[in-house]
Amino acid sequence: MTKNRTLICTFLALLSGFSGGYIGGQITLSFHTQKCQNQTWGLKQMCNALVTPSAVWQGSTTGLWTGTVLGAFVGGLVTRPTRK
C-alpha cells in the first residue's frame, strides 16, 4: 500500500505541477502583454518580445511550485488510509 500511495502522490504532484506551470505561464503572459496594448504596431511588437520571456518564466515557476505542493497535498488526502 505504501508503494502505491507514494506513486499516486508523486504522479498527482507532477501532473498538477506541470499543469500549474503551463496555466500560470499563460495567465502571467496575458497580464504582462496587456501593458503593451497602447503602443503603436512596431513598439507593440517590440514590447511583447521583451515582456514574453520574463512573464512566461515568472508565471511558469510560480505555477509549477504551487501546483506541485497542492497536488502532493491532494494526493496525500486521496490516498490516506481510512480509520476503522
Side-chain angles (χ1 to χ4, degrees):
M1 178 65 181
T2 304
K3 213 177 230 187
N4 288 341
R5 184 175 186 205
T6 303
L7 288 174
I8 291 170
C9 285
T10 302
F11 177 74
L12 282 175
L14 290 174
L15 180 67
S16 178
F18 289 133
S19 299
Y22 176 75
I23 293 168
Q26 294 299 313
I27 290 171
T28 307
L29 178 62
S30 174
F31 285 142
H32 282 261
T33 54
Q34 285 180 355
K35 296 175 185 175
C36 303
Q37 294 303 315
N38 295 332
Q39 306 292 331
T40 60
W41 184 82
L43 291 175
K44 185 178 184 179
Q45 300 305 318
M46 197 163 61
C47 178
N48 283 335
L50 292 172
V51 166
T52 299
S54 64
V56 170
W57 178 258
Q58 179 186 4
S60 296
T61 305
T62 303
L64 179 70
W65 282 105
T66 305
T68 301
V69 169
L70 290 176
F73 179 72
V74 169
L77 288 176
V78 168
T79 60
R80 172 181 74 197
T82 57
R83 293 186 180 180
K84 292 182 180 181

